Amino acid sequence: MDFEQADAINQAIRLLSLRHRARASALLAPLGLHPGQEALLLELARTGPMIKAQLSEALGCEPPSVTLMTRKLEASGHIRFRAVPSDKRASVVELTDSGKALATQVKQLWCALAEETIAGLAPDTVASLPDTLNTMTANVDSRRRAK
């Protein structure tokens, strides 16, 4: 691949990432959420209660980031912690009723953001987009290379 093509690809990915995050941030702000917190809420809504280490793995972020997000979401009443009887060091994170309602709002917001993002793309392109993006993510996943 020559530099011009590589630059065009890398710039497009960089700009999409920046602008998508900014748009997501603008949409999440009225709900009292910051980028990343919605992913945690959606993961708990999808899978049910889990310990922070599992959340960290599922979200692809570092444990301190999950700790910060869970503290903020607990303070706002959207999640709660429950002790794990078999492991005194671990606690299970679960959605409260407020968190479940918020996750429903986030799902609606996420649908709207996706529709904005894919506007003008052909249906077959849209259908293949998740696989394409997941492959690209795996190609640059530093956790995969570190193992």
Side-chain angles (χ1 to χ4, degrees), residues 60-75:
C61 62
E62 295 298 319
S65 297
V66 170
T67 296
L68 183 61
M69 285 189 282
T70 55
R71 281 184 190 152
K72 289 180 179 180
L73 290 169
E74 180 187 35

Side-chain angles (χ1 to χ4, degrees), residues 85-108:
S86 62
D87 186 348
K88 300 291 184 214
R89 297 169 296 154
S91 58
V92 172
V93 182
E94 61 186 3
L95 292 175
T96 61
D97 288 342
S98 164
K100 290 173 186 172
L102 186 58
T104 298
Q105 290 180 282
V106 170
K107 287 176 185 179
Q108 293 168 349

